[in-house]
Every structure is written in structure tokens, then in C-alpha cells.
Amino acid sequence: VAKDVNIFFDELEGVNSPSKDDDSLLHHGNLTSTSDDASRLEVVGEEVPDKNKTNGLYFRDGKCRIDYILVYRKSNPQTEKREVFERNIRAEGLQMEKESSLTNSDIIFVKLHAPWEVLGKYAELMNVRMPFRRKIYYLHRRYKFMNRIEKQISRFRGWLPRKPMKLDKETLPDLEENDCYTAPFSQQRIHHFIIHNKDTFFNNATRSRIVHHILQRVKYEEGKNKIGLNRLLSNGSYEAAFPLHEGSYRSKNSIKTHGAENHRHLLYECWASWGVWYKYQPLDLVRRYFGEKIGLYFAWLGWYTGMLFPAAFIGLFVFLYGVTTLNHCQVSKEVCQATDIIMCPICDKYCPFMRLSDSCIYAKVTHLFDNGATVFFAVFMAVWATVFLEFWKRRRAVIAYDWDLIDWEEEEEEIRPQFEAKYSKKERMNPISGKPEPYQAFADKCSRLIVSASGIFFMICVVIAAVFGIVIYRVVTVSTFAAFKWALIRNNSQVATTGTAVCINFCIIMLLNVLYEKVALFLTNLEQPRTESEWENSFTLKMFLFQFVNLNSSTFYIAFFLGRFTGHPGAYLRLINRWRLEECHPSGCLIDLCMQMGIIMVLKQTWNNFMELGYPLIQNWWTRRKLRQEYGTQRKTSFPQWEKDYNLQPMNAYGLFDEYLEMILQFGFTTIFVAAFPLAPLLALLNNIIEIRLDAYKFVTQWRRPLASRAKDIGIWYGILEGIGILSVITNAFVIAVTSDFIPRLVYAYKYGPCAGQGEAGQKCMVGYVNASLSVFLVSDFENRSEPTSNGSEFSGSPLKYCRYRDYRDPPHSPVPYGYTLQFWHVLAARLAFIIVFEHLVFCIKHLISYLIPDLPKDLRDRMRREKYLIQEMMYEAELERLQKERKERKKNGKSYHNEWP
């Protein structure tokens, strides 16, 4: 509902239009300032509370609440634009006061207030839904059998604690809009709405949103595109713009005895405080204070955290199952007892021969993650991801109903200033508004998309190059550590190589993330998206793709390529004909994958939490320290609220992007390689319990109050979550089939072991598996550059003739030396068959669950239908009551008409 406001130039200035940046409204050094004549709403005989005059939330009269703050510097040269902009603000009916900063006289605060007439006018234009009747709750009809079950459940609940996770309702305010039917505000039907006090009818978040809506449609210069606060912020006319927090988040008095000072204080005590980490979030209060968009983020984060409980429990069960069955595992027993099996060196020259029993610990650790319950857990997590998304859709529908978002549609977005400046010469009619607007030719758009896609491909190649560098580091370092003088590192050279490589990889990931953000920003601006939502979606997709590939590329290498293409002793494959490719540990590659995931996940989450909270804390502490040194502690406490909020950190330029991206990447870690690391959901759960309170603390205490904006869902992130869910099925199938030893063990048990042909696969059927999975190599067949410096005489007193390595190959004296055995082809066929069966089975289950779970709960559908019916009845009754009153009044006045209705 865009409305162009005529520009009032010098010749059109009225009485209420001071000139020269409104210096008459400026009051130097006062905590509260006098306002102009238009901003005075004093009523004769009405007393204004002194608290309103001193708390920094009102104008000097103590009645006009500050709805929005603009900040600029007097030294800024954009004076004329501000003058015109502020005159047009007053022409729209907004009231204004100005005040210089106590800490810097160059900084000017512009305080804006929207009176009732302006709020009512724009609330009607913006279709703001307001309460007009109390909700009538009714009970569904229950069968007697269901009533008996509910009585038994309630009797059982009597023995349990009284819902410790629920918040105390006495501390929460009565959020009237949640207990009332709402309808779009209308001034003609104002008598239908519940208005106890005009000053509080529109809450602070709604008032700020209305003022921001006005500011976005006020002109500052002659010309059809010279309009809106965003353009003034981008060209530096104003330094900042934000709504005020509702006072301090701390209080000298206890909230239990004296109640909350304001909604910010209440949010801090029952949401952002660490003492309530186990309680549910007050989402209605979050939505009321920060708006629906931020409320939906915390609703999604809370839902995701709650759904992690069963996944973490099952993952922990799989891990504990591995712990309890460790002593009964035949494979790890054979590895630990294989003192007579000598393994070939895992690197050139400096790596020695080693007994297979030396890897006993690694074999046991591998069993903790790779056991009989791993396949079940992989299927469970694939189904869990689908159930999580499907039930989130239902949860979102309930939230959308409770928050009046069902029928809400986004307004026609404004065109980005950059798009207008680029394509202002070409115009075409907008099919919705019917107005001419800039137009981007199809050929120009395609060429820009091609260049952007090429940039994305190039950056992915940079990631692959970084992974290639890590691979070379691992290959070179394993030989260095094998010749190290410290016995601890020398004996664990492969683990030391993996650990240092993961840490270096993490540092590269964090450095490349900084580069990716700049590249993604450049490519997105190069595409020239038409609106802000298109820009946001394009930037989000690029950043997610970059960071996802950056974070998971090394993990994909370890899971699917490490040790797969190394060749065999005597004929190793080499990089650039120089470096021998790295082999897996004698116990398998799964231990490397577990280390990669565990270290990256812990370090990434720790770093993110520090950057989210630690960085703003340090910046705000430094600002407070400077103010304390210059003005002292007493003067700092007397700063008005707008000064305190200005000294807080602004919300980042990309809104909730960083918060969503962190959680989506974590969701990928939790699902994509979960078959290799069952403890990932547990780590994610512990992190998210902390993350909710960290984000809450950050929003309430460390950031300026963001503008309350509306949204129906989480946007493009839902599609990304669905894509990750599909990818997780494929990757887990390959992890089980290729990375783990599940398939080779299964083939041995049914085809080659003691129970072959009997249809059994217990531990007794795994006897001899280790020996069957190792091939024999003749030591004299080593290449000159691969021949170890030691001859292995330390094992038997004489030089070794044979050593063993992991593969299914013929012995050296067979007709085809070192050729693949029949068992290799059986294992390969079984792996391919398992991948196909696993994927089809899990995808069928996912689609079946998606089909069986409706997006809208049945009780919610019934409530919506009944509410629609009741609203129509109430509107009819209210209109009928009004007409009857008018009829009685006309009769009293002696004015009677024939054929009156009713």
C-alpha cells in the first residue's frame, strides 16, 4: 500500500516545519527534551507520571511514547535530504523530537511518535489484525473408552512431577491477542474491537512496524525513486534506525515478589537466563516483543532441539550397545590376538612393519561405532529427518493459526535501489500494481546467471584444491611422523597425521568462509535481483552451498576415497608419480571418519558460540569501559534508553541468516554421516540447549531491538532441509556399504565362514574373518622407493618373507599374482545391491510417512472452520446491535422512517 507523499519545499512550509535540520527541536545535553507544538498532547488536569519523563521511553510530556529512533551526525553533508524527509514525516502526522548525544555532541537522536489517528489509518492500510472478541473454547465429543483412558493417564501423571518444564503462568502477562478472535483493523468498525486504552491497544512492536512502514514510503528528494528510509541509510544520511527496547533487562527487585518491570525484563528472567535452560520458551512473548519472523526462528529451533531427544537417545543406545558387546565381538578379538600376523608398512621407507595386534585399541573403538545396530540407526535417522520436517509443517500451521498468519500475505515488495539505478532506462507495466517499473532483459539476466554459476563452480574448485592440499599434507606427514624421535608419535603416526590434518582443515574452513562471504556477496549483486527477498534467497543459496561444500568436502574424501584407490604393495598408485596415496588403518577407515566428524563438529560449534556471544560481549564491554572512563559510573546509569540502545551492537546485516545457517549445517552433520558417528545427535542436542539461551541472551541484552517483521514460515531453509534429508539417505547407504565393514562381514558369514549355507550370521560365524580379509604380499616384490629401511627381523629373528595387507587379492605365487579374488567380486556385488535396496526402502518409507501425515492437524482444521463461522456470527450480531441502537436514537429524536431494517 505504497503512498507517495508530496514534498514540502521551502515555499510550501507550514507553521510546523522548522528549517535547517530542525534545530529548534534540538536540545543539547538534556536527558529528555521539549517537543514541538505538534508533539504536545497534554490534557488539562491530567497528571503525567514522573517515571515516564525520566525512563527515556517517552517525549518530555511523558505521554507520547517513542516508537522509533533515527540517528545522524551533524557533520554529515546530507542535510538537505534529511530536512525534506523530516518535513514529510511530520506531514504524515508523525511527531518528532531531537536530542544531542551525551557522549558525542555530533550525534543527534530523532525520536518519533505515532499518534492514535496515524496508527489507526495505517493499521487499516496494512491489514493489521487486532482482537475484537474473546475466544470461545469448546470440548470435542469423546467416546467413553477414550475418557477412561484419559482418566487412567491423568491418574498416572499424578505420581509424576508437576510439569517442571512449563513456565509459571503467574509470571507471564495476559497476552490478550492470543485469547481473542482477531480481524483486520477498520476505523469504520472500531466499536467491534476491544479497546481498553488507546495508548496500549497497539503494542510496541506493532507501533514500530507501522512507523517503519511510513518511513519506507516518505520521499526525501524530488523524483519517483527518491523515497524510503533504506535509501537514506545506504547513502549515509542517517547512521542508524531502530525501535527502542522497553527499558532495562535487569531489576533490583525479584520478579517473583515485585513482578516484571517490562517485557524485556520478563524475557530475560524467563527465557534468556541460564537458570531456565530446561523450561519451554515463551514463544508468544517472543513474538510480541520481536515479531513473528524471529518468533518463528526460535519456534523452529525449539522444535528441532526437542526432536533431537529421540535421535540422541537412539544414537547413545547404539554407542552403548557397542560398548556392551565389545568383549563378545569376534573380529576385535581376532585382531587383538593376531600377534603372528605382520602387516605391510603403510608408507614409504620410514614406516616399519607392524603386528596386527598393535591396532587392537583402534579395532575396539571402531566396533563402538560400527556394530550390528548401525544399519538400524541409519534407517532410523533417515525416517527421523522426514518425521521432523512433516511434523514441523504441522507445528508451523498451529503457530500460524495462533499468530494470525494463516491469511497473511506479503505485500508487493519494493524494487531494490541498485536494480532501479541499473535498469531505470527500460520500463514495463507491473501486472499487479499497474505502474511502470524498471525491467531487466531476459538475455541480460541469463548472462549474469551464467557468470554467477561460473563463479560458484570456480569456488567449489578452490575447495577441492584445498582438500587436495590436505591430502598431500597427510601423505607427506605420515612418513615424517613415522620417523619422529618421540616414541608416542612414532607409534601412532597415522592418528597424529589425521588429528593434525583435521585441525589444519578446520583453520582452512574458517579462512575460506570469510572469502566465500565476500564472493557470494559479489556474485549476488552481480545477478541484480529485483527485490530484497530475491536477493536474500540468492545469497542464502550461495552461502549455504559454499559453506556446505567447504565443511564437508574433507569428510566426503575420508568416507569414500581414503584407502580406496591406493593399489597394492609393489604397485602403489601415486600422486604426480611421487607421493603414495594414503592407506586406511589396519582396523579400517571408519576411525578416521569419526575423528574428522567429532573434531570438526566440536570446534565449529565452539567457535560459532564464541562469535555469536563472545564478540558482541567484548565490543559492548569495551564501549561501557570507555563511557565509564569518560563520564563515570553514576552518569552512565542516567543515560536515556535511546543512548543505551545506540551503544549496543546492531543486528547483523543479513538478519537471521547466520543463525539459520549454523543450525542447517549442524543438521547436515547430524544426518549425512550419522552412520559413522552415532553420537552426532547427542552433541547437537547439547549444543542446541546452550544455543537457544545464547541466542536469547544475545537478542535481549547485546543487540539493539530488531524491527518486528512478519513471516509465515522459515522460507528457503525448508527446501534446503528437504534436500539434506534426501542426500543423507544416499550418503548413509554408501557409508554403510563402502566405508564400514558391515557388508564384507555379512558376505563372509553367509558365504565363506563356518556357517556358510546355514542362514546364520552370529559371532560364531565370524571366526577366521580377519585372516580371510587380509591378502599376502612377498616382501621381495617391493619397489625400490617403497622398500622399508627395516627388514622385519625384530619379529622373528630373521628377515620377513611375507607381510599382509587389507584387500581381496590372490597370493604372489598364483597364476595371476595379486589379482582380485572371487570374494572381492561377491563383496562388490553385495555393496551395490545393499545401496540400491537401502535407498529404495528408505525413500519408500519417507514418502509413505509424508503421505500419511497431513500438513494440517484435524483439530486445527475444525477450529479454523468454527472460528470462521463464529466470526461471521459475531460481526453480524455486532452490526445488528449497532443498527438497533441507531434506530432507538432516531425514535427518541422523533425521526422515524418506513421500511426500516431490522
Side-chain angles (χ1 to χ4, degrees):
V1 189
K3 181 178 181 296
D4 292 342
V5 181
N6 294 327
I7 303 178
F8 286 72
F9 294 101
D10 293 340
E11 66 270 19
L12 298 177
E13 290 179 10
V15 178
N16 192 31
S17 300
S19 60
K20 297 301 178 186
D21 233 1
D22 296 334
D23 288 336
S24 61
L25 298 179
L26 182 59
H27 305 272
H28 302 279
N30 296 330
L31 293 182
T32 54
S33 58
T34 59
S35 75
D36 57 339
D37 295 336
S39 66
R40 298 178 187 271
L41 295 178
E42 296 181 6
V43 181
V44 178
E46 183 179 347
E47 294 184 0
V48 179
D50 293 335
K51 183 179 179 181
N52 287 359
K53 296 183 178 181
T54 59
N55 61 7
L57 299 175
Y58 291 83
F59 281 14
R60 183 178 179 274
D61 58 11
K63 299 176 184 176
C64 299
R65 188 176 186 92
I66 300 172
D67 296 321
Y68 213 80
I69 293 289
L70 302 176
V71 186
Y72 69 89
R73 292 182 180 269
K74 287 194 293 186
S75 58
N76 189 285
Q78 307 280 354
T79 305
E80 186 176 349
K81 293 180 181 178
R82 283 197 306 271
E83 287 180 10
V84 176
F85 185 71
E86 290 170 6
R87 284 198 293 271
N88 284 317
I89 288 176
R90 287 192 296 273
E92 273 296 290
L94 295 181
Q95 297 162 10
M96 182 186 304
E97 273 188 353
K98 288 189 177 183
E99 183 142 2
S100 61
S101 172
L102 294 175
T103 60
N104 187 348
S105 59
D106 188 42
I107 297 176
I108 305 298
F109 295 97
V110 181
K111 300 175 285 184
L112 301 177
H113 167 76
W116 169 258
E117 294 76 15
V118 175
L119 292 173
K121 171 186 174 183
Y122 277 93
E124 186 171 358
L125 291 174
M126 296 168 63
N127 288 322
V128 176
R129 299 182 69 90
M130 301 303 295
F132 73 96
R133 284 291 185 275
R134 286 280 179 182
K135 285 185 178 179
I136 301 174
Y137 295 97
Y138 67 98
L139 298 175
H140 295 284
R141 294 184 61 184
R142 300 278 186 178
Y143 295 102
K144 292 183 179 180
F145 177 72
M146 294 298 296
N147 287 333
R148 291 174 184 173
I149 293 178
E150 288 181 356
K151 287 181 180 178
Q152 294 296 329
I153 293 175
S154 62
R155 187 177 301 174
F156 174 73
R157 284 178 178 171
W159 297 89
L160 299 176
R162 295 289 181 179
K163 298 180 179 179
M165 291 187 293
K166 284 203 170 184
L167 292 164
D168 185 8
K169 292 184 177 179
E170 294 180 359
T171 62
L172 291 176
D174 181 22
L175 302 180
E176 188 174 68
E177 59 264 32
N178 293 335
D179 295 325
C180 295
Y181 295 117
T182 60
F185 183 76
S186 172
Q187 290 181 313
Q188 292 182 347
R189 297 182 175 181
I190 196 170
H191 53 278
H192 292 172
F193 296 91
I194 303 173
I195 305 178
H196 302 302
N197 185 348
K198 288 186 176 181
D199 294 334
T200 59
F201 178 64
F202 296 104
N203 62 46
N204 294 331
T206 304
R207 295 173 68 101
S208 300
R209 186 155 55 90
I210 292 174
V211 172
H212 181 79
H213 178 89
I214 296 172
L215 297 178
Q216 291 296 90
R217 286 152 179 80
V218 172
K219 286 191 173 184
Y220 61 85
E221 204 172 67
E222 191 171 9
K224 66 176 182 179
N225 296 328
K226 308 296 184 179
I227 182 173
L229 175 63
N230 284 348
R231 290 177 173 84
L232 290 175
L233 288 171
S234 61
N235 64 27
S237 298
Y238 287 101
E239 189 171 295
F242 53 89
L244 283 181
H245 277 297
E246 297 180 8
S248 175
Y249 64 89
R250 294 185 183 275
S251 176
K252 297 179 181 178
N253 303 317
S254 171
I255 191 174
K256 294 182 179 180
T257 57
H258 293 75
E261 297 287 338
N262 49 65
H263 283 160
R264 189 188 185 194
H265 178 217
L266 181 62
L267 278 172
Y268 177 76
E269 293 290 340
C270 67
W271 184 48
S273 175
W274 292 107
V276 293
W277 64 269
Y278 60 93
K279 290 186 177 291
Y280 294 131
Q281 300 181 86
L283 293 177
D284 290 330
L285 195 60
V286 175
R287 171 245 181 170
R288 178 175 183 142
Y289 194 83
F290 291 110
E292 286 80 2
K293 194 170 186 177
I294 294 176
L296 269 173
Y297 163 71
F298 282 102
W300 176 84
L301 181 57
W303 183 256
Y304 171 45
T305 304
M307 289 293 290
L308 279 173
F309 273 97
F313 176 78
I314 300 297
L316 184 61
F317 169 79
V318 171
F319 179 77
L320 294 178
Y321 174 80
V323 173
T324 55
T325 59
L326 184 59
N327 295 329
H328 306 286
C329 178
Q330 181 64 31
V331 175
S332 55
K333 280 182 181 179
E334 291 186 1
V335 171
C336 294
Q337 296 171 2
T339 56
D340 57 337
I341 297 179
I342 308 301
M343 301 298 294
C344 298
I346 58 175
C347 68
D348 293 338
K349 295 290 185 181
Y350 300 107
C351 290
F353 295 97
M354 59 180 293
R355 286 189 174 92
L356 180 60
S357 58
D358 292 343
S359 60
C360 176
I361 296 177
Y362 304 114
K364 290 182 177 180
V365 173
T366 300
H367 176 74
L368 299 180
F369 302 101
D370 184 14
N371 51 63
T374 303
V375 178
F376 159 75
F377 186 58
V379 175
F380 170 81
M381 287 303 296
V383 174
W384 172 87
T386 303
V387 172
F388 161 65
L389 293 176
E390 291 300 321
F391 276 95
W392 163 247
K393 284 195 284 189
R394 293 165 61 88
R395 172 65 175 158
R396 187 205 65 82
V398 173
I399 292 174
Y401 169 78
D402 290 337
W403 292 355
D404 288 323
L405 299 172
I406 294 290
D407 298 325
W408 178 77
E409 295 293 339
E410 293 189 31
E411 300 175 3
E412 177 67 14
E413 286 191 88
E414 294 182 359
I415 298 174
R416 296 177 68 242
Q418 296 86 343
F419 185 89
E420 287 181 338
K422 181 72 176 177
Y423 301 103
S424 58
K425 296 180 180 179
K426 296 182 180 180
E427 290 186 346
R428 72 172 182 180
M429 297 296 291
N430 187 310
I432 299 175
S433 63
K435 297 180 179 179
E437 65 178 18
Y439 168 68
Q440 183 181 16
F442 180 76
D444 180 75
K445 187 174 184 178
C446 286
S447 62
R448 291 178 178 275
L449 288 176
I450 291 172
V451 173
S452 178
S454 302
I456 294 173
F457 178 75
F458 173 76
M459 294 309 299
I460 292 176
C461 291
V462 171
V463 176
I464 296 173
V467 174
F468 186 75
I470 295 293
V471 172
I472 293 178
Y473 168 82
R474 294 171 68 107
V475 169
V476 173
T477 312
V478 70
S479 300
T480 306
F481 283 151
F484 213 73
K485 61 180 181 179
W486 292 349
L488 179 64
I489 296 179
R490 186 172 62 250
N491 297 334
N492 300 276
S493 60
Q494 200 160 14
V495 176
T497 300
T498 302
T500 54
V502 171
C503 294
I504 293 173
N505 184 34
F506 174 75
C507 295
I508 293 175
I509 287 172
M510 302 311 297
L511 290 174
L512 287 179
N513 281 346
V514 178
L515 174 64
Y516 290 155
E517 182 175 342
K518 298 182 183 301
V519 173
L521 194 62
F522 172 77
L523 293 178
T524 306
N525 290 331
L526 181 66
E527 291 178 7
Q528 290 291 349
R530 178 177 170 272
T531 62
E532 287 295 335
S533 63
E534 291 178 7
W535 187 96
E536 183 179 339
N537 289 341
S538 179
F539 179 76
T540 297
L541 194 59
K542 290 180 182 62
M543 279 297 292
F544 168 76
L545 189 60
F546 287 158
Q547 295 218 18
F548 180 81
V549 173
N550 188 26
L551 194 64
N552 293 285
S553 53
S554 295
T555 311
F556 271 90
Y557 163 74
I558 292 174
F560 305 128
F561 296 99
L562 179 62
R564 300 285 174 264
F565 310 102
T566 58
H568 63 86
Y572 288 117
L573 298 178
R574 297 178 180 272
L575 285 174
I576 323 175
N577 198 28
R578 180 178 179 182
W579 292 299
R580 170 182 161 185
L581 290 174
E582 187 181 6
E583 289 187 45
C584 290
H585 197 273
S587 298
C589 291
L590 202 66
I591 187 68
D592 295 299
L593 185 58
C594 291
M595 287 183 62
Q596 173 80 13
M597 290 191 62
I599 294 175
I600 291 292
M601 195 169 184
V602 171
L603 289 179
K604 188 80 166 62
Q605 291 179 347
T606 304
W607 176 259
N608 286 339
N609 289 336
F610 169 75
M611 291 302 295
E612 281 189 11
L613 185 62
Y615 185 66
L617 274 173
I618 292 173
Q619 285 187 314
N620 290 334
W621 171 81
W622 183 254
T623 302
R624 290 194 301 269
R625 182 175 178 273
K626 290 195 297 184
L627 293 176
R628 204 181 302 118
Q629 290 177 347
E630 294 180 14
Y631 302 98
T633 307
Q634 298 297 328
R635 186 67 180 273
K636 178 182 174 300
T637 56
S638 63
F639 284 166
Q641 189 63 43
W642 58 82
E643 190 99 34
K644 295 177 182 177
D645 285 7
Y646 178 70
N647 290 326
L648 295 177
Q649 297 302 307
M651 188 175 179
N652 59 64
Y654 308 131
L656 293 169
F657 170 79
D658 289 335
E659 280 71 24
Y660 272 118
L661 180 64
E662 178 188 354
M663 290 295 104
I664 299 300
L665 291 175
Q666 184 206 83
F667 179 80
F669 253 100
T670 306
T671 54
I672 291 178
F673 293 104
V674 74
F677 192 57
L679 293 179
L682 179 62
L683 293 179
L685 173 63
L686 297 177
N687 175 79
N688 286 9
I689 292 174
I690 299 173
E691 180 75 21
I692 290 176
R693 304 304 162 182
L694 278 181
D695 284 349
Y697 184 83
K698 179 177 60 180
F699 272 93
V700 174
T701 68
Q702 301 302 310
W703 278 1
R704 296 174 192 162
R705 186 177 183 177
L707 180 70
S709 53
R710 309 199 84 190
K712 292 183 70 172
D713 49 35
I714 61 175
I716 194 175
W717 296 109
Y718 185 83
I720 293 175
L721 286 170
E722 285 187 323
I724 291 176
I726 294 172
L727 180 63
S728 68
V729 177
I730 301 172
T731 53
N732 282 306
F734 276 89
V735 167
I736 296 171
V738 177
T739 310
S740 75
D741 288 337
F742 175 77
I743 298 299
R745 292 175 186 176
L746 211 61
V747 171
Y748 178 81
Y750 284 103
K751 184 67 178 176
Y752 296 96
C755 305
Q758 300 179 14
E760 298 181 14
Q763 290 297 325
K764 63 179 182 178
C765 301
M766 299 303 298
V767 176
Y769 167 75
V770 172
N771 187 60
S773 64
L774 298 176
S775 300
V776 180
F777 178 72
L778 186 63
V779 174
S780 60
D781 290 342
F782 267 123
E783 301 171 298
N784 291 332
R785 53 182 171 177
S786 299
E787 189 173 357
T789 54
S790 65
N791 58 9
S793 58
E794 64 271 16
F795 296 105
S796 60
S798 59
L800 284 176
K801 291 184 178 180
Y802 300 97
C803 63
R804 309 293 293 273
Y805 61 98
R806 283 173 57 93
D807 210 340
Y808 297 102
R809 292 182 181 271
D810 291 323
H813 303 298
S814 61
V816 183
Y818 308 116
Y820 287 118
T821 62
L822 183 62
Q823 188 174 355
F824 169 82
W825 299 109
H826 282 162
V827 170
L828 180 61
R831 282 173 167 165
L832 294 177
F834 175 83
I835 291 172
I836 295 172
V837 172
F838 181 89
E839 288 181 356
H840 282 70
L841 175 64
V842 174
F843 279 131
C844 286
I845 295 175
K846 286 169 68 72
H847 287 302
L848 181 63
I849 291 174
S850 301
Y851 175 76
L852 293 178
I853 300 177
D855 295 345
L856 205 64
K858 185 179 183 302
D859 60 337
L860 177 60
R861 189 182 296 111
D862 294 340
R863 285 164 59 192
M864 290 171 60
R865 290 174 179 171
R866 179 169 176 79
E867 178 175 333
K868 187 176 181 180
Y869 168 77
L870 289 175
I871 288 175
Q872 291 176 348
E873 290 291 319
M874 290 174 184
M875 297 292 282
Y876 170 77
E877 291 173 2
E879 193 67 21
L880 185 63
E881 183 179 351
R882 184 183 66 84
L883 292 172
Q884 287 175 345
K885 286 182 180 179
E886 290 179 357
R887 180 184 178 186
K888 291 179 181 179
E889 289 178 0
R890 286 197 297 267
K891 283 185 176 180
K892 286 181 181 180
N893 297 331
K895 297 180 180 180
S896 179
Y897 300 95
H898 295 288
N899 300 324
E900 288 185 347
W901 183 86

